[in-house]
Amino acid sequence: MPIIPKTEITPPAPPPGPPRSRGSTDEGVFDDARTYYTADERHLNTRAGARTRTYSQNSLFKQMERMGLKEPYRRGSHDESTIPHSRRFLIQVEPTLQSLQSQEDTDGNMQITIEDNGPKVLTLRTAASNGHNRFDIRGTYMLSNLLQELSLAKEYGRKQIILDEARLNENPVNRLSRMIRDHFWEGLTRRIDASSIEIAARDPKDWTDDPRPRIYIPRGAPEQFEYYTKVAEDRPELRLDVQLLPEKITPELVRDMNSKPGLLAVDMEEEVDPKTGKKTLKGRPFVVPGGRFNELYGWDSYMESLGLLVHDKVDLAKSMVQNFCFCIKHYGKILNATRSYYLCRSQPPFLTDMALRVYDKIKHEPGAIEFLRTSILAAIKEYHSVWVAEPRLDLVTGLSRYRPEGLGVPPETEAGHFVHILEPYVEKHGCTFEEFVEGYNSGKIKEPELDDYFMHDRAVRESGHDTTYRFEGCCADLATIDLNSLLFKYETDIARTIRNVFNDKLVIPAEYCVGNMEPNHVEASAIWDRRAKRRKLAIDKYLWNEQEGMYFDYDTANRKQCSYESATTFWALWAGVASPKQAAAMVTKALPKFEAVGGLLSGTEESRGEIGLERPNRQWDYPYGWAPQQILAWTGLYRYSFTEEAERLAYKWLFMITKAFVDFNGVVVEKYDVTRPIDPHRVDAEYGNQGLDFKGVAKEGFGWVNASYVYGLQIVNAHMRRALGTLTPYETFIRAVEENRAKALAELV
């Protein structure tokens, strides 16, 4: 049997918040941008004594040019040289921003990177000398930070600022951690209510002739239907279409709703309107994957919650769990995302671990037990109604598959996305492309082969791994190691929670009953222990490969084990399903196949196969690495006491992100090419890369990469964190460590 610790092992957290620069005596140097740039007193030059003359970076130069004089270069006055870490600059925002861009942003993309060909030096005026003395800002990192700070200052309406040098040469690990904590999470946070409905309910994937904001309300939330109906009546200019969902949701219903796609309601809480004094509703907040999204996503939310908890944003992580419970209660599942066309499709299930991590932070607060009870009840309902029910359950193996129901062409992509697939059928039926799509979607045209193609396509999207050659034309038939590891984790989490928190008796109320359950049915831990044991035996039988020392997917249609090598094999360590012997074999045999300069590869090059014009690269294949694969592998390795391996992998991933952040104007993106040491954020496979398209300063990063960064800093040790701050490659760092060890041993002899 696998090792199942009482609680999941989590590495100790570092001290909260980035430290201030050494030697700085000024409070608030690293405040968030809103606080820093809206405090008027901060930008009054009180340190300059009696001097009143102030110079911008450009005005003094221009004045001396007109007089035909050449100003002598001054290195700085005595007051700056004695307190170098407290140096401040007196800056006129707009002219300095223009000078910086014209001189340093040579490719004109509103970013300063190592690819720009400017002189990489800009002179600023010091505040202590009232703008009389100068100091050079040098290098890509400091200049790009200056661009970011000036962009923020301009955004907050500042004409003149006094800028701390410490914000320009800040340790990059501290700066990125601070940006994530103070800016990125806020930039990615959404709530669905009257304040946001105009934007959130307008679907960017509404390809119909009359796109308009639309929201669907479940039957069990009449208070929300009343709320949004009043919003629509009070604000007719919105053209908000408020629809009540039928009680029973079927693939036919979802298909017919595709002509009117819309947002799905999520959880709301009561509050008193401060203007009217009356009770009203307010949406529970959640974090979205990237800046362009407005709907709640599935497994992205779990990964994001790990970072939120590191930053003590417990209420936000708790709110996301509550939104998931609402979805399970009213829609039957945690959805791929909360849009109408996703009603039949889920995503990798992480609810129990997410809820338990939140509960661990709030367990001494009022209502904590009820929060956990609701979460576990929701997970039990989802487990029975989605993952161990047909069509997802394979009755022969007892294992589960990604196999969502659905009819027709997936509507979240334009039909033209599948033109190469559909054209032969268009020719066969002698009609136009549009006529075929309409006939096929309505069921008037029957094409079983096409049904199979789209069944697998929907399954790939439910898996979260869209797309990969691992799942090409077969996903719905695969009992995957990732999904079955997650369900094993559900089973062990539910068993342990019922036993330890609810005294081995959990009453199931009517709204959470599924199948043959009677209201007030009592669940005990023993049956969940048995389910976990059965799944462990099935995983060992069908998915484990002793010779290769790793887990593979199992093809339930052809009754054979697959050969695609995927980093999801390490999910078995995260879930605790592997035995110590299996874990050791994975570290010895499997890990070297996936480890690259920037962390873990999604899959091996051999498994992906040759690529070219006819067979383009897929984003979940070699050579790309994704945050979820890193996080789950680190945690799994740590769980089985492979601490050095976890630290090494975390260091490589964090180094890659930090270096791209330093070299490319603070960029943080959705995924990385972990084989590229110079520009790993450049990914051109399939959908490109989210998080690249910003002007001046990045506002959001990308949800699960933000989380992986702050979570990964908990995995690495203090020496590693310091080395990351100096951009030391792993090979250089480990060589220095080994030399120090050898020196220490020699001194002992």
Side-chain angles (χ1 to χ4, degrees):
M1 284 294 290
I3 298 172
I4 307 175
K6 186 176 180 182
T7 56
E8 183 169 321
I9 300 169
T10 304
R20 289 195 293 273
S21 292
R22 182 173 55 86
S24 175
T25 58
D26 299 334
E27 293 296 326
V29 169
F30 298 111
D31 280 346
D32 64 275
R34 182 182 289 108
T35 304
Y36 191 84
Y37 289 114
T38 57
D40 291 336
E41 66 279 3
R42 184 191 297 277
H43 300 285
L44 297 174
N45 196 20
T46 56
R47 295 182 58 178
R51 289 177 179 156
T52 57
R53 297 180 64 199
T54 308
Y55 300 98
S56 76
Q57 270 55 77
N58 299 307
S59 61
L60 186 61
F61 291 140
K62 290 176 181 176
Q63 181 182 342
M64 300 198 70
E65 283 173 8
R66 286 195 300 270
M67 298 173 64
L69 300 175
K70 183 177 181 182
E71 185 189 15
Y73 180 77
R74 299 169 67 98
R75 288 186 175 272
S77 61
H78 180 72
D79 56 354
E80 287 110 43
S81 63
T82 55
I83 46 170
H85 293 285
S86 295
R87 186 181 288 113
R88 293 175 168 189
F89 302 111
L90 182 61
I91 299 175
Q92 304 300 318
V93 174
E94 188 60 37
T96 308
L97 188 56
Q98 289 178 7
S99 293
L100 180 63
Q101 287 177 243
S102 63
Q103 177 181 297
E104 298 294 344
D105 180 19
T106 57
D107 57 10
N109 67 348
M110 280 292 289
Q111 298 175 20
I112 296 173
T113 73
I114 58 172
E115 294 175 344
D116 285 304
N117 297 317
K120 297 292 170 79
V121 58
L122 188 82
T123 301
L124 295 181
R125 299 282 166 173
T126 63
S129 69
N130 220 358
H132 188 64
N133 296 328
R134 298 184 295 167
F135 188 83
D136 286 345
I137 302 300
R138 295 180 178 274
T140 299
Y141 180 57
M142 289 187 72
L143 289 169
S144 69
N145 286 346
L146 178 60
L147 175 65
Q148 294 169 52
E149 295 297 333
L150 292 176
S151 298
L152 290 166
K154 182 178 178 180
E155 197 173 292
Y156 285 104
R158 283 281 159 201
K159 305 295 184 187
Q160 175 181 292
I161 59 171
I162 294 176
L163 179 64
D164 291 274
E165 183 188 20
R167 286 178 84 91
L168 303 182
N169 60 16
E170 185 179 3
N171 179 310
V173 173
N174 292 347
R175 182 174 177 87
L176 179 50
S177 300
R178 180 172 64 80
M179 293 291 284
I180 293 169
R181 183 194 65 206
D182 295 342
H183 298 280
F184 290 0
W185 292 135
E186 182 180 353
L188 293 172
T189 299
R190 306 284 187 271
R191 68 170 78 243
I192 306 300
D193 53 29
S195 67
S196 62
I197 195 67
E198 180 178 6
I199 296 171
R202 193 178 296 279
D203 194 339
K205 297 176 180 179
D206 185 345
W207 321 117
T208 63
D209 295 333
D210 182 27
R212 59 186 290 193
R214 182 177 292 110
I215 186 165
Y216 286 95
I217 314 296
R219 291 273 171 177
E223 71 288 352
Q224 288 205 33
F225 186 75
E226 181 183 343
Y227 172 86
Y228 285 112
T229 300
K230 189 172 188 310
V231 171
E233 290 171 353
D234 292 346
R235 299 166 66 186
E237 73 281 2
L238 297 183
R239 298 181 65 238
L240 178 63
D241 184 12
V242 183
Q243 298 273 342
L244 196 61
L245 275 173
E247 193 77 44
K248 187 171 175 60
I249 297 169
T250 65
E252 290 77 14
L253 171 72
V254 176
R255 176 198 62 195
D256 295 342
M257 289 167 61
N258 290 340
S259 60
K260 290 185 176 182
L263 186 69
L264 298 172
V266 289
D267 201 17
M268 304 184 82
E269 57 185 330
E270 276 194 356
E271 71 164 4
V272 175
D273 188 326
K275 294 180 181 177
T276 64
K278 296 180 180 178
K279 283 187 178 180
T280 186
L281 296 177
K282 181 175 75 170
R284 289 196 189 276
F286 55 90
V287 173
V288 295
R292 67 186 177 91
F293 300 105
N294 289 299
E295 58 275 356
L296 175 70
Y297 274 77
W299 70 317
D300 291 79
S301 296
Y302 167 73
M303 300 299 162
E304 291 154 359
S305 74
L306 299 176
L308 293 172
L309 292 174
V310 171
H311 280 152
D312 290 325
K313 297 183 183 290
V314 181
D315 287 345
L316 186 48
K318 177 184 176 183
S319 174
M320 292 165 77
V321 173
Q322 291 169 310
N323 275 313
F324 277 164
C325 293
F326 179 95
C327 289
I328 292 172
K329 182 177 179 180
H330 296 288
Y331 307 128
K333 59 181 72 67
I334 292 174
L335 301 167
N336 183 158
T338 50
R339 295 283 179 185
S340 56
Y341 37 77
Y342 293 134
L343 275 165
C344 289
R345 190 188 308 164
S346 189
Q347 271 204 323
F350 285 92
L351 179 59
T352 56
D353 192 77
M354 187 176 178
L356 286 165
R357 285 174 180 270
V358 172
Y359 173 72
D360 191 54
K361 296 278 189 179
I362 66 168
K363 57 188 173 186
H364 300 300
E365 297 177 9
I369 291 288
E370 283 311 305
F371 162 81
L372 185 60
R373 186 191 311 276
T374 300
S375 302
I376 295 299
L377 288 170
I380 290 172
K381 179 178 179 179
E382 181 199 30
Y383 174 89
H384 285 300
S385 62
V386 179
W387 299 113
V388 296
E390 293 188 77
R392 291 177 178 84
L393 177 66
D394 176 56
L395 296 173
V396 176
T397 61
L399 297 172
S400 298
R401 307 165 291 191
Y402 297 114
R403 199 181 178 98
E405 296 177 294
L407 297 169
V409 181
E412 72 271 21
T413 54
E414 292 181 275
H417 178 77
F418 297 105
V419 66
H420 62 295
I421 300 296
L422 299 176
E423 270 184 343
Y425 297 96
V426 172
E427 292 178 16
K428 173 183 172 182
H429 289 273
C431 57
T432 67
F433 185 84
E434 291 74 18
E435 288 170 343
F436 176 79
V437 171
E438 184 179 344
Y440 176 68
N441 284 349
S442 67
K444 294 174 184 174
I445 296 176
K446 305 290 185 184
E447 286 292 349
E449 284 186 4
L450 207 51
D451 293 344
D452 283 347
Y453 174 85
F454 285 120
M455 175 182 70
H456 293 304
D457 182 84
R458 282 187 291 271
V460 171
R461 298 173 194 279
E462 181 169 78
S463 77
H465 292 71
D466 44 333
T467 66
T468 164
Y469 286 114
R470 171 190 174 203
F471 289 155
E472 184 92 342
C474 63
C475 187
D477 292 331
L478 301 185
T480 66
I481 181 56
D482 32 307
L483 177 56
N484 286 284
S485 293
L486 298 182
L487 294 178
F488 176 85
K489 184 74 159 59
Y490 260 43
E491 290 156 351
T492 53
D493 282 348
I494 291 169
R496 189 176 70 246
T497 305
I498 291 175
R499 184 165 49 247
N500 296 345
V501 180
F502 299 112
N503 299 316
D504 222 6
K505 292 178 181 178
L506 181 65
V507 177
I508 312 293
E511 63 265 34
Y512 290 104
C513 287
V514 292
N516 298 324
M517 279 187 191
E518 296 287 334
N520 300 318
H521 159 80
V522 177
E523 287 280 293
S525 62
I527 191 169
W528 290 96
D529 286 329
R530 289 197 295 274
R531 285 173 180 142
K533 185 175 182 180
R534 281 200 302 268
R535 190 173 300 275
K536 157 70 175 165
L537 291 171
I539 287 173
D540 283 347
K541 180 178 179 180
Y542 295 105
L543 308 185
W544 175 250
N545 187 308
E546 185 70 33
Q547 184 177 343
E548 297 294 331
M550 61 188 291
Y551 295 92
F552 291 89
D553 304 327
Y554 182 79
D555 186 335
T556 61
N558 296 303
R559 299 297 164 195
K560 65 176 184 179
Q561 195 176 85
C562 301
S563 60
Y564 189 104
E565 296 168 328
S566 168
T568 55
T569 188
F570 299 109
W571 293 27
L573 301 182
W574 176 84
V577 72
S579 68
K581 182 181 177 183
Q582 287 170 322
M586 290 172 72
V587 169
T588 304
K589 296 181 179 180
L591 186 56
K593 295 182 178 183
F594 295 96
E595 190 169 347
V597 65
L600 275 184
L601 292 154
S602 289
T604 63
E605 186 174 13
E606 182 182 356
S607 289
R608 180 201 65 183
E610 292 294 322
I611 56 169
L613 288 176
E614 297 299 317
R615 193 174 184 270
N617 219 339
R618 301 290 175 79
Q619 62 177 6
W620 281 91
D621 288 328
Y622 177 96
Y624 306 119
W626 291 75
Q629 312 289 35
Q630 319 299 320
I631 291 171
L632 299 180
W634 304 334
T635 310
L637 289 164
Y638 208 100
R639 177 176 192 155
Y640 285 83
S641 299
F642 292 105
T643 309
E644 285 189 15
E645 288 79 3
E647 290 179 342
R648 182 178 73 241
L649 290 172
Y651 188 98
K652 288 183 172 185
W653 177 256
L654 297 174
F655 175 82
M656 176 188 65
I657 293 173
T658 308
K659 192 162 192 314
F661 175 80
V662 166
D663 290 344
F664 291 92
N665 206 97
V667 73
V668 176
V669 291
E670 177 188 27
K671 54 188 173 285
Y672 292 84
D673 180 340
V674 294
T675 66
R676 292 172 74 110
I678 304 298
D679 53 353
H681 62 296
R682 293 269 164 73
V683 173
D684 53 9
E686 299 193 288
Y687 312 111
N689 220 347
Q690 301 284 326
L692 282 172
D693 188 23
F694 63 88
K695 304 297 182 186
V697 58
K699 298 291 183 65
E700 302 103 3
F702 197 86
W704 57 23
V705 175
N706 301 343
S708 75
Y709 195 80
V710 298
Y711 186 81
L713 288 174
Q714 292 187 296
I715 300 289
V716 297
N717 59 47
H719 291 302
M720 288 177 151
R721 182 173 174 132
R722 285 194 291 271
L724 284 169
T726 59
L727 291 184
T728 305
Y730 180 76
E731 292 72 19
T732 306
F733 167 76
I734 200 64
R735 194 183 311 124
V737 169
E738 289 169 354
E739 286 173 359
N740 285 338
R741 283 176 184 165
K743 185 178 178 181
L745 285 171
E747 290 174 355
L748 291 174
V749 175

